[in-house]
Amino acid sequence: MVTRIRSRRTGQLFLTATASAMLLAPLAATAEPIATVNGITIDSTTFEFYLESRAQKPLAEITEAERSMVLQELKDIYLLTTQPNAKALADTPRSKAMIELQSRGILAQAAAADFLDKNAATDAEIEAAYKEQIAVAPPLEFKARHILVETQSEANSVVTELEAGADFAELAKTKSTGPSGPNGGDLGWFGPNQMVAPFSQAVAALEDGAFSKAPVQTQFGWHVILREDSREATPPTLESVRDMIKQRVEQEKLQDYLQSLRATLDK
């Protein structure tokens, strides 16, 4: 079972996988001219950066046909930005603001990536964060069955039959329209986040061995639910969540760094 690793902050500045990969990806050691548009040279570093960002995959996996198409796109960009009216357009307040924000955004991503590169999470930090996470009381998993019908009145009839002593599994086989019907409505073990909210809430509110006296409506129809059993969820192994925890620890380091920078503005 996968357990969510919670962050202690919200609204964080996260480096996207694409942005950080582009900032840190190795490009050509020496830039070489590959095209000229109206006297402006497009070098290999610029092209490869644009190519990788457009293709969203490593350079080695990009086909010649893709390279040719993207190069034409880049030439068109240079072509449009070297027209006589380009300088006047660049001087408009809106264009200046957009260029400024884009430039600052790129530099901010580069600065954040550089910080994370120099302050990577250590094994000790990852293990400590993992122990902190699993020390929290684990959520419950449930074992349940359900009978799914189309209308509330049909669901109420099912409840009446169950209260009269009908066997839940046998009733599910004959009444339920859901795919689990032939198996007696058996849903096996599941965590609360694996089901739609109304269903999960209804299961959590039941006692083991009890069924829902009030039918539960979801987008699938009306459910009568039997909670057969419950247990504490098994925490994930460290190795299965190592990458997730590493990212969380590093993002928290970045947030601490940003907070220290913000503090200097207040002085």
Side-chain angles (χ1 to χ4, degrees), residues 23-167:
L23 287 167
L24 300 177
L27 298 175
T30 303
E32 299 177 352
I34 59 172
T36 302
V37 178
N38 286 339
I40 305 297
T41 298
I42 302 175
D43 64 38
S44 56
T45 299
T46 302
F47 172 59
E48 288 180 1
F49 184 89
Y50 183 71
L51 177 63
E52 195 166 30
S53 66
R54 285 286 288 113
Q56 296 290 298
K57 57 185 177 181
L59 292 173
E61 298 177 9
I62 299 173
T63 66
E64 284 304 315
E66 289 172 325
R67 294 178 72 92
S68 178
M69 179 185 69
V70 173
L71 179 58
Q72 185 58 58
E73 285 183 11
L74 192 55
K75 286 180 178 179
D76 289 343
I77 291 172
Y78 275 67
L79 184 61
L80 287 169
T81 56
T82 54
Q83 294 307 299
N85 65 337
K87 188 176 186 307
L89 291 171
D91 286 338
T92 65
R94 183 176 179 82
S95 291
K96 284 182 177 179
M98 292 174 68
I99 292 169
E100 171 73 7
L101 288 172
Q102 187 170 42
S103 175
R104 294 288 177 185
I106 291 169
L107 288 174
Q109 293 281 10
D114 180 66
F115 174 85
L116 293 176
D117 187 50
K118 294 174 180 176
N119 295 273
T122 65
D123 287 342
E125 289 171 331
I126 293 171
E127 289 172 12
Y130 172 74
K131 289 177 181 178
E132 178 186 357
Q133 178 63 33
I134 63 173
V136 177
L140 289 178
E141 291 181 323
F142 304 105
K143 188 175 188 300
R145 295 177 185 269
H146 78 138
I147 298 171
L148 175 65
V149 292
E150 294 183 359
T151 68
Q152 185 176 14
S153 61
E154 289 178 286
N156 286 330
S157 296
V158 168
V159 171
T160 299
E161 290 187 58
L162 291 171
E163 290 177 330
D167 181 80

Side-chain angles (χ1 to χ4, degrees), residues 172-224:
K173 291 178 182 179
T174 58
K175 300 280 188 179
S176 183
T177 61
S180 65
N183 295 323
D186 188 10
L187 297 172
W189 287 97
F190 57 87
N193 293 329
Q194 293 177 262
M195 300 295 181
V196 293
F199 192 98
S200 291
Q201 292 164 4
V203 172
L206 290 169
E207 297 290 335
D208 289 349
F211 65 86
S212 54
K213 302 299 176 65
V216 179
Q217 185 180 26
T218 71
Q219 64 263 45
F220 305 108
W222 290 86
H223 307 258
V224 178

